[in-house]
Amino acid sequence: MNKYVERLYNGVIKENPTFVLMLGMCPTLAVTSSAINGMGMGLTTTVVLAASNIVISFVRKIIPDKVRIPAFIVIVASLVTMVQQLLQAYVPSLYASLGIYIPLIVVNCIILGRAEAYASKNKVLLSACDGIGMGLGFTVGLTLIGIFRELLGNGSVFNLTIMPDSFEPITVFVLAPGAFFVLACLTAIQNKLKMPSATNVTQEEPLACGGNCGSCLGNACAANHGMIEAQKVAEKAAKAQALAKAKAENEKKNIEVTKERGND
Amino acid sequence: MIKMEQLAIILISSVLVNNVVLSQFLGICPFLGVSKKINTAAGMGMAVIFVMTISSAITACIYQFILEPNNLAYMNTIVFILVIAALVQFVEMVLKKTMKSLYNALGVYLPLITTNCAVLGIAIINVQKEYNILTAVINGFGTAVGFTISIVILAGLRERMENSDIPESFKGTPIVLITSGLMAIAFCGFAGLI
């Protein structure tokens, strides 16, 4: 597979930020009350993420290592301000319904996480693909949750009523509590099916970031990820070693047995 | 007297009606992550009250005296995030030097707050609602108290749940989310308060 396509695949399916990494929980809960809101938020984040990945990848060799996090924050905040003004000018309805969550894209840990884990180490085009892939994955996640909540809570999808008249909308799903319930069911299903998700990697750390926001700044998820991978590799190696040992012992026994038989 | 009434309404609405976690979904990360024990939850809550009150005051001052007179209001996101990040570091250093006991109580939670989106969120809400400095401080304080109340309640519930029989696939994050959903329903009841 082409490595650019691989980046897109990685963002949308393999490391989907909403379903697998469980990042950016605040917007995931807050703006998914309808499908169109979720999609708008996802696309806005995609634009910011792709742009920030490109800019950060461009300047990655100029920024001194010690001040890179503040520098990333300034870059992301400027991009968010630009996107905010564009939305206000051209899509005022979306701007009004997303409200405070647009400036809060700055503190969305997906963006700083990708900047730290990927864009600051890779070439511009690859980083752009990574940003677009992650952003699209986020969009898909938010839109799906939005469709689900809108369908149950309002009987419609993208403002088109599709449920029959006899369907009584369960209003709680478009209100605040519904967000928690939908996400709870989603994570429960993931636990049940043992799907790859940050919530069922280890029992000790319920969130991708381990809930440890102090050491976070986005790099914790990358580090966590690395740790889990390393652990898996180590486990595999240990297993292989044990197997090899058992095999060797078996062979030894066999040889001894044949020797004994030979002696007889 | 009307002034006092207004302040009371802002305080009540920010603590209970528009609870920062349960109805506005800000600060979900620490809400889910630091709510295993009542002690740590309360410590986190106190640190948030401390930082959020100070940061509301400072960001409101910066907005009113620097950004608005110079027509730089559109810069607020960039300025606020930098000010908050610097402020948290500064508060930590000052506490360490001057008030050792307070630092021992809150110290570990202070760095956690930089990435708490509620702090930036409140600074921006203060601007959007056109609060002056006094009302901004009241709003920041009230919001932080609301955060503390909800995180302490959740921690209490989680401590009680430790020994209860939860379906296998709901263990861990799902049951915490369901608990917060039920709390959110309870807080919906405050909507008629003002």
Side-chain angles (χ1 to χ4, degrees):
Chain A
M1 210 190 301
N2 184 322
K3 61 184 174 183
Y4 299 105
V5 182
E6 190 270 328
R7 275 290 101 200
L8 292 178
Y9 171 78
N10 181 57
V12 180
I13 312 273
K14 206 171 129 210
E15 290 191 3
N16 187 300
T18 313
F19 297 134
V20 183
L21 296 183
M22 291 277 166
L23 292 177
M25 297 287 274
C26 293
T28 307
L29 289 166
V31 299
T32 50
S33 56
S34 71
I36 193 81
N37 276 359
M39 199 164 153
M41 184 69 198
L43 290 178
T44 315
T45 312
T46 309
V47 172
V48 175
L49 188 51
S52 80
N53 264 8
I54 292 173
V55 174
I56 287 166
S57 182
F58 258 122
V59 296
R60 68 183 190 277
K61 283 175 187 151
I62 308 170
I63 299 177
D65 203 42
K66 274 188 185 157
V67 293
R68 66 180 195 288
I69 300 284
F72 293 166
I73 290 179
V74 174
I75 291 171
V76 175
S78 330
L79 288 167
V80 168
T81 307
M82 281 187 243
V83 169
Q84 186 182 359
Q85 305 231 314
L86 286 174
L87 281 181
Q88 196 172 8
Y90 294 107
V91 207
S93 59
L94 187 68
Y95 178 79
S97 61
L98 293 184
I100 185 177
Y101 296 99
I102 300 175
L104 286 182
I105 294 176
V106 179
V107 279
N108 189 330
C109 41
I110 299 172
I111 294 182
L112 268 185
R114 287 331 280 177
E116 172 78 9
Y118 200 86
S120 61
K121 293 177 195 119
N122 287 286
K123 287 192 185 131
V124 176
L125 258 182
L126 269 178
S127 307
C129 284
D130 181 73
I132 294 171
M134 278 283 161
L136 287 182
F138 192 55
T139 313
V140 169
L142 290 197
T143 314
L144 285 181
I145 297 178
I147 287 175
F148 193 71
R149 282 181 66 188
E150 197 183 341
L151 189 67
L152 287 179
N154 211 7
S156 61
V157 171
F158 287 108
N159 291 331
L160 290 171
T161 310
I162 57 166
M163 285 301 219
D165 283 341
S166 55
F167 173 73
E168 188 78 34
I170 316 166
T171 319
V172 72
F173 275 102
V174 288
L175 299 178
F180 286 113
F181 292 140
V182 169
L183 214 72
C185 293
L186 179 74
T187 46
I189 292 170
Q190 285 178 328
N191 276 353
K192 180 85 191 164
L193 301 179
K194 301 240 172 358
M195 291 206 284
S197 163
T199 51
N200 56 17
V201 171
T202 47
Q203 284 294 317
E204 286 300 296
E205 292 169 23
L207 288 175
C209 44
N212 185 3
C213 304
S215 59
C216 179
L217 287 168
N219 52 11
C221 37
N224 251 3
H225 225 69
M227 230 162 63
I228 291 160
E229 299 269 295
Q231 228 170 24
K232 270 185 193 163
V233 170
E235 264 172 27
K236 241 185 193 171
K239 250 186 196 170
Q241 221 172 15
L243 241 148
K245 218 177 177 183
K247 235 182 190 176
E249 264 172 28
N250 258 345
E251 269 171 25
K252 229 182 192 175
K253 263 185 197 166
N254 279 347
I255 290 169
E256 272 167 21
V257 169
T258 43
K259 260 185 192 169
E260 272 170 25
R261 274 184 194 160
N263 284 346
D264 288 345
Chain B
M1 276 328 267
I2 290 169
K3 189 91 193 194
M4 280 309 286
E5 238 169 61
Q6 251 181 345
L7 293 184
I9 285 178
I10 289 176
L11 190 65
I12 290 172
S13 84
S14 58
V15 174
L16 297 175
V17 182
N18 291 321
N19 187 284
V20 64
V21 186
L22 297 171
S23 79
Q24 303 196 55
F25 301 111
L26 299 176
I28 296 285
C29 243
F31 180 67
L32 299 179
V34 202
S35 58
K36 269 195 190 136
K37 294 246 157 59
I38 290 185
N39 286 343
T40 50
M44 182 72 191
M46 291 302 144
V48 168
I49 291 179
F50 193 75
V51 169
M52 213 183 258
T53 314
I54 298 177
S55 79
S56 309
I58 290 183
T59 49
C61 285
I62 288 178
Y63 188 77
Q64 204 158 341
F65 296 125
I66 301 177
L67 294 182
E68 216 172 20
N70 295 317
N71 282 329
L72 288 171
Y74 64 90
M75 291 277 283
N76 60 13
T77 314
I78 306 175
V79 174
F80 287 175
I81 183 88
L82 289 178
V83 167
I84 289 168
L87 178 77
V88 174
Q89 296 274 318
F90 183 69
V91 166
E92 198 183 347
M93 283 193 292
V94 169
L95 282 187
K96 207 173 182 178
K97 282 273 180 238
T98 56
M99 286 176 272
K100 208 70 186 175
S101 56
L102 195 60
Y103 178 77
N104 288 338
L106 303 184
V108 279
Y109 305 104
L110 281 175
L112 298 181
I113 292 172
T114 328
T115 47
N116 185 341
C117 57
V119 181
L120 179 63
I122 289 311
I124 294 170
I125 286 177
N126 285 339
V127 169
Q128 277 180 353
K129 290 197 175 166
E130 295 176 350
Y131 284 150
N132 62 28
I133 295 172
L134 179 63
T135 43
V137 172
I138 297 283
N139 187 34
F141 175 73
T143 308
V145 171
F147 177 85
T148 310
I149 290 176
S150 46
I151 198 173
V152 169
I153 293 178
L154 181 68
L157 291 173
R158 281 180 78 169
E159 280 192 3
R160 295 295 293 271
M161 271 189 319
E162 291 246 305
N163 301 322
S164 46
D165 186 24
I166 302 165
E168 189 58 39
S169 49
F170 274 87
K171 274 182 185 153
T173 320
I175 195 71
V176 178
L177 286 168
I178 288 199
T179 314
S180 356
L182 293 174
M183 279 169 64
I185 289 184
F187 272 74
C188 277
F190 289 118
L193 210 59
I194 51 167

